[in-house]
Amino acid sequence: MAAGTGDISNNIQAANPKPIRKNCKLHAVLAHLARGNSMNRFQAEKICHDHCLNSTISDIEKRGITVNRKTEVVPGYQNSRVHCTRYWLESEEITKAAKLLGWQNHDGYKS
């Protein structure tokens, strides 16, 4: 395969993404974000059973959805400070996410 073809296939996937299969962590995380929620890695573990949120976010972005993020500090073990990232979607991206999730409208009740 020629050099740089990986970039082309990623662009094709983003331009014409396949719907996301239900009952998988990718669907759970994207649905949570598409409902207007935000989360960090600790919340993702509890809410979506996702043990590696940053990888799931990367998979979502490969499908053409821009995920916003900011660094935050949360309390850790024995009141230590833990730096992590909070993720969320803006309204334009929620519309794209709803399409990938197969929702008829983007209120989240059709999944």
Side-chain angles (χ1 to χ4, degrees):
M1 211 176 264
T5 58
D7 295 336
I8 294 169
S9 64
N10 284 342
N11 291 339
I12 292 169
Q13 183 179 7
N16 190 14
K18 294 179 184 177
I20 297 173
R21 179 176 50 90
K22 290 184 180 182
N23 300 324
C24 68
K25 74 174 186 171
L26 183 63
H27 189 280
V29 169
L30 187 57
H32 185 74
L33 295 174
R35 288 185 178 103
N37 300 306
S38 67
M39 73 173 105
N40 62 36
R41 65 182 184 168
F42 302 108
Q43 295 164 327
E45 175 112 18
K46 290 179 183 177
I47 297 166
C48 303
H49 309 287
D50 187 343
H51 304 283
C52 196
L53 180 60
N54 59 325
S55 294
T56 306
I57 295 298
S58 176
D59 289 343
I60 290 169
E61 289 183 325
K62 287 177 185 174
R63 287 168 168 75
I65 296 175
T66 301
V67 180
N68 289 15
R69 63 197 75 198
K70 70 176 179 177
T71 301
E72 65 182 7
V73 178
V74 297
Y77 179 70
Q78 295 184 346
N79 295 322
S80 64
R81 295 168 43 99
V82 177
H83 294 266
C84 60
T85 304
R86 175 160 299 278
Y87 300 96
W88 73 94
L89 299 177
E90 295 294 336
S91 59
E92 309 83 39
E93 303 305 313
I94 289 174
T95 302
K96 292 179 193 176
K99 185 174 181 179
L100 274 177
L101 292 165
W103 294 349
Q104 298 301 317
N105 52 32
H106 58 267
D107 61 9
Y109 299 110
K110 300 290 183 186
S111 66

